[in-house]
């Protein structure tokens, strides 16, 4: 099964369309006379079975746009090795979220592109520029140029009131055929183990999502934007009923950052690391079922440490939202602003405890341009950076990682020719002693043994 960055509806789903009453919070009471306790209602007559999505579409569709992007890629002739250029292109979807022409889409739709063209529902076209592109969330914010009127918008609903089974519409531009609407339900919430992102918590839907739907709208029955369609699981490349959308909570965080003038999304952290509670772990600590995240490491003097979190605690919720893995914790904390207070619910010695933490920016310098150039010894020709939480996170790694990462290697230097060091290697130790700074790699003698991590695997390299 492959994951493709893009993005069946039943007769029953269509029949239920506009017969749903206003959504309330569910309780444990039983349904009676076809009406559920949270006011959702089954169709009661033939007229209800003919209900249509058209009113929701009329309100939502004008704010969904088609995106066409063009770029130039530097290539090298595989036979002669002559450098050249190749035209590249991308087609996707987007959503207008502000009347002055602010559009949100997927980062992978516009990444590496120089020309972006946006076509509105009424076929008007605008050029667009990138205001902020956030690869971690796969969300990008564009500004349409030359807008001199108020454009239709979709309201971002970040209240997280959706429930599994709620009806939704996916609106976008599949296969470049033009704006298309499909319907389905929310199949699951808080999907984190998707392989899409280490800090994502996705809405799963069975609404048909196909290539070209990327960046399009996932809309609820109130006509609000609850997610940006981003990815599908598929063997064929077309919809198989398993699609994923970035939740509106994170979308709003990126949009607010862009509108506020930021050039990057600052993700705070709690400074704790853990592993999901398995059935075996649950039995060992006396839980009746697997739930939460067992804290295995706490960053010294970090937000979690100052709040009183400690190893062995089981984090079960952030501000009341359930947490069951590291991705879920990263998502919940990452949607907050730095210095914002959060409530952390933990199980400690079998009892629930609520701790108040104030999330902060990751410590350290993430500037990859501040590399140390090693000019002599076994690693001459290598440029290295000492890992810190901010740098490791910006590179997509574990903020708790230690060691020195190789940012560049001169192909003619001894580090590459004599030792076999590659860009991206992390040097963890020299002769068994942990490496904590770039200075420890200067002027390494022959015979030194380097413990190196490469693409998740550890090995030994010898300075010959």
């Amino acid at each position: 099964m492959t994951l493709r960055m893009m993005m069946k509806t039943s007769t029953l789903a269509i029949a239920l369309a506009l017969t749903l009453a206003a959504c309330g919070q569910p309780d444990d009471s039983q349904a009676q006379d076809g009406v559920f306790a949270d006011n959702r209602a089954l169709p009661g007559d033939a007229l209800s079975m003919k209900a249509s999505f058209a009113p929701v579409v009329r309100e939502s569709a004008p704010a969904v746009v088609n995106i066409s992007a063009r770029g130039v890629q530097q290539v090298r002739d595989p036979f002669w090795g002559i450098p050249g250029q190749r035209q590249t292109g991308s087609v996707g979807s987007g959503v207008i979220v502000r009347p002055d022409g602010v559009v949100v889409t997927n980062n992978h739709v516009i990444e590496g592109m120089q020309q972006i063209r946006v076509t509105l529902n009424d076929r008007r076209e605008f050029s667009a520029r990138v205001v902020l592109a956030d690869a971690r969330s796969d969300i990008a914010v564009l500004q349409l140029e030359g807008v001199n009127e108020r454009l239709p918008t979709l309201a971002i609903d970040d209240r997280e009131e959706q429930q599994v089974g709620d009806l939704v519409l996916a609106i976008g531009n599949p296969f470049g055929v033009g704006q298309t609407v499909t319907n389905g339900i929310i199949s699951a919430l808080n999907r984190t183990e998707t392989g899409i992102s280490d800090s994502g918590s996705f809405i799963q839907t069975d609404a048909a999502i196909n290539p070209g739907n990327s960046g399009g709208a996932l809309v609820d029955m109130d006509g609000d934007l609850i997610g940006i369609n981003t990815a599908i699981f598929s063997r064929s490349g077309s919809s198989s009923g398993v699609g994923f959308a970035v939740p509106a909570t994170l979308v709003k965080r990126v949009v607010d950052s862009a509108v506020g003038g930021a050039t990057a999304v600052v993700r705070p952290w709690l400074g704790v690391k853990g592993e999901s509670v398995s059935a075996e772990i649950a039995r060992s600590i006396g839980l009746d079922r697997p739930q939460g995240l067992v804290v295995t490491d706490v960053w010294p003097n970090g937000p979690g440490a100052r709040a009183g979190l400690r190893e062995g605690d089981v984090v079960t919720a952030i501000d009341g939202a359930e947490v069951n893995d590291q991705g879920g914790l990263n998502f919940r904390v990452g949607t907050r602003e730095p210095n914002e207070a959060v409530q952390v619910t933990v199980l400690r010695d079998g009892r629930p405890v609520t701790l108040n933490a104030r999330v902060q920016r990751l410590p350290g310098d993430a500037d990859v341009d501040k590399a140390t150039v090693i000019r002599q010894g076994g690693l001459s020709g290598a440029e290295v950076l000492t890992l810190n939480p901010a740098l490791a996170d910006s590179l997509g790694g574990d903020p708790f990682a230690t060691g020195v990462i190789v940012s560049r290697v001169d192909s003619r230097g001894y580090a590459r020719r004599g030792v076999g060091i590659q860009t991206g290697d992390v040097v963890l130790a020299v002769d068994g002693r942990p490496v904590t700074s770039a200075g420890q790699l200067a002027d390494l003698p022959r015979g030194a043994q380097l413990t190196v991590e490469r693409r998740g695997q550890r090995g030994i390299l010898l300075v010959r």
Side-chain angles (χ1 to χ4, degrees):
M1 181 174 294
T2 59
L3 174 68
R4 293 182 179 268
M5 301 307 293
M6 305 157 288
M7 279 288 30
K8 274 176 183 192
T9 64
S10 64
T11 303
L12 176 60
I14 297 175
L16 290 174
L18 295 177
T19 64
L20 297 182
C23 297
Q25 293 300 315
D27 58 34
D28 295 329
S29 58
Q30 301 296 313
Q32 298 180 355
D33 300 326
V35 179
F36 293 96
D38 62 1
N39 296 326
R40 288 166 167 78
L42 293 173
D45 52 43
L47 182 61
S48 297
M49 295 293 287
K50 296 181 180 179
S52 170
F53 289 114
V56 180
V57 174
R58 278 197 299 270
E59 291 296 318
S60 306
V64 181
V65 301
N66 298 341
I67 296 176
S68 176
R70 295 287 179 268
V72 176
Q73 183 180 23
Q74 302 298 320
V75 296
R76 186 175 291 274
D77 185 280
F79 185 76
W80 298 106
I82 301 172
Q85 295 182 335
R86 181 176 63 189
Q87 296 289 326
T88 61
S90 175
V91 175
S93 307
V95 183
I96 306 172
V97 293
R98 285 172 60 98
D100 59 352
V102 173
V103 173
V104 63
T105 185
N106 280 143
N107 179 66
H108 72 263
V109 172
I110 55 85
E111 188 173 22
M113 301 298 167
Q114 286 80 46
Q115 298 178 339
I116 304 173
R117 199 75 183 160
V118 175
T119 304
L120 273 55
N121 176 261
D122 61 9
R123 303 182 67 178
R124 285 182 295 166
E125 293 188 6
F126 294 88
S127 295
R129 59 180 175 85
V130 178
V131 179
L132 189 154
D134 184 55
R136 289 283 296 277
S137 64
D138 197 17
I139 294 294
V141 180
L142 312 178
Q143 174 64 61
L144 302 187
E145 298 180 328
V147 176
N148 51 20
E149 61 182 279
R150 294 178 63 85
L151 298 179
T153 64
L154 270 182
I156 301 176
D157 182 359
D158 64 340
R159 294 171 296 177
E160 297 188 285
E161 295 178 342
Q162 295 81 32
Q163 299 178 37
V164 174
D166 280 352
L167 284 162
V168 290
L169 302 179
I171 310 176
N173 180 25
F175 301 109
V177 300
Q179 191 176 90
T180 301
V181 181
T182 57
N183 87 290
I185 63 169
I186 293 177
S187 305
L189 295 167
N190 304 317
R191 286 290 196 213
T192 54
E193 299 296 328
T194 61
I196 304 171
S197 168
D198 64 349
S199 58
S201 182
F202 296 89
I203 300 172
Q204 182 182 330
T205 179
D206 68 346
I209 296 173
N210 288 291
N213 271 111
S214 285
L218 190 67
V219 177
D220 65 12
M221 291 299 101
D222 292 325
D224 293 332
L225 181 71
I226 63 169
I228 293 295
N229 298 320
T230 296
I232 61 172
F233 278 128
S234 174
R235 289 189 173 93
S236 65
S238 297
S239 175
S240 57
V242 185
F244 300 96
V246 177
T249 307
L250 186 52
V251 174
K252 187 175 187 298
R253 175 87 166 82
V254 179
V255 171
D256 288 347
S257 297
V259 173
T263 57
V265 179
V266 177
R267 286 181 175 80
W269 79 327
L270 190 58
V272 298
K273 180 181 179 181
E275 60 180 278
S276 299
V277 175
S278 62
E280 183 178 352
I281 293 174
R283 286 192 297 270
S284 69
I285 59 179
L287 295 179
D288 58 357
R289 65 180 180 87
Q291 61 171 323
L293 179 81
V294 180
V295 176
T296 58
D297 205 349
V298 181
W299 190 263
N301 201 36
R306 291 197 295 270
L309 276 163
R310 57 196 191 208
E311 293 181 22
D313 284 345
V314 179
V315 179
T316 58
I318 300 291
D319 285 338
E322 186 175 297
V323 168
N324 284 307
D325 53 32
Q326 189 70 49
L329 177 67
N330 293 345
F331 172 77
R332 290 296 162 193
V333 173
T335 58
R336 303 300 193 266
E337 295 282 353
N339 207 40
E340 189 174 342
V342 298
Q343 283 193 333
V344 185
T345 304
V346 303
L347 290 176
R348 179 177 292 170
D349 299 326
R351 295 189 300 273
V353 176
T354 299
L355 303 174
N356 295 310
R358 194 168 292 278
V359 296
Q360 302 289 343
R361 292 172 179 260
L362 280 81
D365 189 347
D367 190 350
V368 296
D369 294 327
K370 295 183 178 180
T372 298
V373 181
I374 299 178
R375 303 188 184 280
Q376 57 186 3
L379 289 187
S380 61
E383 296 182 15
V384 298
L385 293 154
T386 303
L387 285 173
N388 58 66
L391 176 62
D393 184 71
S394 71
L395 297 174
D398 179 5
F400 280 74
T402 58
V404 172
I405 188 168
V406 179
S407 60
R408 183 178 175 276
V409 184
D410 186 340
S411 60
R412 297 166 298 179
Y414 191 79
R416 183 74 183 92
R417 294 185 297 104
V419 182
I421 286 289
Q422 298 180 13
T423 299
D425 285 352
V426 178
V427 182
L428 302 173
V430 175
D431 294 332
R433 294 187 296 275
V435 172
T436 58
S437 72
Q440 292 174 255
L441 302 182
D443 202 15
L444 288 178
R446 292 182 182 274
Q449 288 188 336
L450 309 181
T451 303
V452 175
E453 184 174 286
R454 179 181 296 168
R455 292 187 288 275
Q457 302 294 319
R458 292 192 180 187
I460 301 295
L461 293 178
L462 180 66
V463 178
R464 300 182 184 280

